[in-house]
Amino acid sequence: MTVTATAAPSGAAHSARVKLLTRLAPHLQALPLWLVMGVFLLIPIATIVMVSFWEDQEYTLAPGFILDNYRDVFGTFVTFSTYVSTLRYALIVWASTLAIGFTVAYVLAFHIRSTLWQMVLFQVCAVPFLTSNVIRMISWIPFLGRNGLLNSTLINLGITDHPLEFLLFSPFAVVLTFVHLYSLFMVVPIFNTMMRIDRSLIEAALDAGARPIEVMRHVIVPLSLPGIAIGTIFVVTLVMGDFVTVQMMSGGQSASVGLLIKNEISLLQYPEAAAHAVILLLTVLMMVWAILRVVDIRKEL
Amino acid sequence: MDKSGPRHWLLLLAFALFVVFLYGPTLTIFILSFQGPDGGLTFPMRGVSLRWFENLFEPQMVGDFGGSLERSLSLALIVMGLTVLISLMAGLAFRRKFLGATALFYVTIAGLIVPSILISLGIGLMFNVAGLPPAWWSSALGAHLTWTLPFGVLIMFAVFNRFDHALEEAARDLGASPWQTLRYVVLPLIAPSLVGVGLFGFSLSYDEFSRTVMAAGSDNTLPLEVYAMTTNVTTPVLYALGSMTTLFSFAVVVTVTLTVLAMRRKRGAKLTG
């Protein structure tokens, strides 16, 4: 890097060295990132694929090449029903976070007058991302529990005369917690794309006689699509791979693919867990690929 | 757009409701962590006390609160340092062409998309197959970096996209070496963003749960400890712990934000003065 510090013997050799160093530099700068992602992402995934063909012998791993694990995965109805349950969670949570995220981003981008307030309120929406997910899950207990705030409010209002049991430890609690945890992943990318929409386009549409709803449908929504796609990728992949929210908030009554893998890991059935993991990874990659087919996000990157 | 009238106020109300939804539960457990000695996990409050916070620091506290806190803090600091350094270097690399740039970009993004349980399982299996014991400073460190580095690199992308290259050219024309240009021109200008990358690295690591599950080895990090507590603790001490961690996270965010603002103001003063 210290080109000027080295004594230059002859002009041609010097400039050749400068050229070489300039071309080498970015490779060296990228090396640490390659190392980390290679050792802790690529090799682990390769290990999962490898182990998914291994044999499970009395809690020890036996290298080999068998398809039994995949036969087990596809051979039971449990796998199918677990995927249906997980996909249903993903769909409901996606729709809810999209509705909430789009509205919140829209208010932030178009209905907050001062730039200062816009930045402050954006931070307010983004900060919970930097706090603990486990604790944000726990914090629903006093709300949803049998003697929780929601139940006592409902009883006080006379809407119901006995506490509703389905609030905590139910699919409802799982969806609510997911929406609570992951709405941010929709708000942030959608807000970013909305801020880049040229305001004169909206003025033009209004001048041309478009009603607000038409401006929304023909200007704002199409131009926000890349942000929506990025948010969708985040939310869908997070829900598809989740195990802790489903385990904690459903009280063990609900299934998800991640939880299935987690349980197999706890039983030390690594090859089966690996086979499930490979199928999950392929499913998630296919979903991401499908989203990218619909929306071009390259402009956002 | 229409910034008055009922529609405008309705939208602002929706926004306010979202903020309540976002912060309401956290605020509830904060209040409940001051529950009286006879109080339970839900309202009503039976008196007000600091009993559960004291409980947290008693030596016979469930689990290993002190040890896990220490490990989580150390890990978060290491992750923070590495995330800033590696993201900065990668950010500099991506400004020019290099072999495998596109592949590296996709691999980095994959760190965000691949479900956490797979990272956890994969790293756990890798250590198992290699015959190495997993530990918070090896396997968990790697697991955290696969989550913090993609964010760091994406932030660096955004920073360098907005960077005015004329400043570097000016430095070069004045005879600065590449290293001097980086040290005295580029780094001071992007310092606030690097602090932001550090904040992400620290916070995401400090609170990370699902990637750490199989990668932490025998000693728990704080989120793993908290999770273990949820299954066997039925007193508000759980909320006290939750409040403490959340307050700590907020303190970190606020401190960093104020630091960045101060840095910006100082730079502004220098440029004009």
Side-chain angles (χ1 to χ4, degrees), chain B residues 191-197 199 253-267:
Chain B
S193 310
L194 289 180
V195 175
V197 171
L199 171 67
V253 172
V254 169
T255 314
V256 170
T257 312
L258 291 179
T259 313
V260 168
L261 287 178
M263 282 164 88
R264 289 231 171 94
R265 197 171 309 139
K266 205 171 132 200
R267 202 177 71 204

Side-chain angles (χ1 to χ4, degrees), chain B residues 131-153:
Chain B
L132 298 166
W136 64 266
W137 47 267
S138 58
S139 43
L141 172 64
H144 286 195
L145 287 174
T146 62
W147 181 231
T148 58
L149 282 177
F151 284 106
V153 170

Side-chain angles (χ1 to χ4, degrees), chain B residues 76-100:
Chain B
L77 286 172
I78 299 171
V79 170
M80 178 182 81
L82 288 175
T83 305
V84 171
L85 189 67
I86 298 174
S87 306
L88 171 65
M89 289 178 73
L92 291 170
F94 275 114
R95 298 165 78 198
R96 284 181 273 172
K97 285 198 180 80
F98 63 95
L99 274 177

Side-chain angles (χ1 to χ4, degrees), chain A residues 139-204:
Chain A
S139 62
W140 279 106
I141 297 173
F143 254 97
L144 299 176
R146 202 170 180 281
N147 304 310
L149 278 181
L150 200 57
N151 265 327
S152 34
T153 311
L154 290 177
I155 292 171
N156 286 339
L157 290 175
I159 294 173
T160 170
D161 53 355
H162 58 277
L164 299 174
E165 300 281 352
F166 72 85
L167 293 176
L168 189 59
F169 303 134
S170 66
F172 168 77
V174 175
V175 170
L176 185 72
T177 313
F178 271 139
V179 173
H180 185 230
L181 291 178
Y182 300 146
S183 288
L184 307 171
F185 285 91
M186 279 289 187
V187 174
V188 174
I190 298 178
F191 174 70
N192 272 330
T193 33
M194 279 180 174
M195 288 305 280
R196 268 183 247 171
I197 297 176
D198 189 347
R199 303 294 139 130
S200 54
L201 282 174
I202 295 165
E203 295 293 330

Side-chain angles (χ1 to χ4, degrees), chain A residues 23-277:
Chain A
R23 279 183 50 193
L24 207 61
H27 292 85
L28 293 175
Q29 287 164 338
L31 200 60
L33 184 62
W34 262 127
L35 268 176
V36 172
M37 297 319 268
V39 172
F40 292 103
L41 182 72
L42 297 181
I43 298 179
I45 289 176
T47 312
I48 294 179
V49 175
M50 180 177 79
V51 171
S52 72
F53 293 107
W54 284 12
E55 211 171 328
D56 191 8
Q57 292 174 335
E58 301 288 323
Y59 307 116
T60 56
L61 290 170
F65 189 84
I66 55 164
L67 293 171
D68 297 30
N69 303 313
Y70 287 97
R71 216 177 45 218
D72 290 347
V73 169
F74 288 111
T76 65
F77 185 70
V78 175
T79 308
F80 178 71
S81 62
T82 309
Y83 267 89
V84 170
S85 152
T86 313
L87 285 168
R88 196 175 49 209
Y89 276 134
L91 189 71
I92 299 171
V93 173
W94 172 72
S96 318
T97 52
L98 177 59
I100 294 172
F102 188 88
T103 313
V104 169
Y106 175 76
V107 176
L108 267 180
F110 294 105
H111 282 266
I112 305 293
R113 273 167 240 241
S114 91
T115 321
L116 179 70
W117 269 110
Q118 210 169 33
M119 287 337 289
V120 169
L121 291 176
F122 176 75
Q123 294 294 332
V124 166
C125 292
V127 162
F129 175 56
L130 299 176
T131 64
S132 165
N133 274 6
V134 177
I135 286 161
R136 291 174 69 202
M137 279 177 224
I138 297 170
S139 62
W140 279 106
I141 297 173
F143 254 97
L144 299 176
R146 202 170 180 281
N147 304 310
L149 278 181
L150 200 57
N151 265 327
S152 34
T153 311
L154 290 177
I155 292 171
N156 286 339
L157 290 175
I159 294 173
T160 170
D161 53 355
H162 58 277
L164 299 174
E165 300 281 352
F166 72 85
L167 293 176
L168 189 59
F169 303 134
S170 66
F172 168 77
V174 175
V175 170
L176 185 72
T177 313
F178 271 139
V179 173
H180 185 230
L181 291 178
Y182 300 146
S183 288
L184 307 171
F185 285 91
M186 279 289 187
V187 174
V188 174
I190 298 178
F191 174 70
N192 272 330
T193 33
M194 279 180 174
M195 288 305 280
R196 268 183 247 171
I197 297 176
D198 189 347
R199 303 294 139 130
S200 54
L201 282 174
I202 295 165
E203 295 293 330
L206 288 172
D207 287 349
R211 284 173 295 138
I213 187 86
E214 288 169 329
V215 176
M216 177 65 90
R217 183 160 152 28
H218 297 291
V219 181
I220 295 174
V221 170
L223 289 175
S224 306
L225 276 182
I228 294 175
I230 293 175
T232 303
I233 291 174
F234 267 120
V235 170
V236 166
T237 55
L238 283 166
V239 175
M240 285 304 292
D242 176 90
F243 60 95
V244 54
T245 314
V246 176
Q247 186 173 37
M248 230 172 111
M249 301 312 286
S250 80
Q253 292 174 45
S254 202
S256 81
V257 183
L259 192 52
L260 193 72
I261 297 173
K262 169 86 193 321
N263 290 338
E264 280 168 341
I265 294 171
S266 314
L267 296 169
L268 303 178
Q269 298 169 340
Y270 292 135
E272 288 88 339
H276 268 293

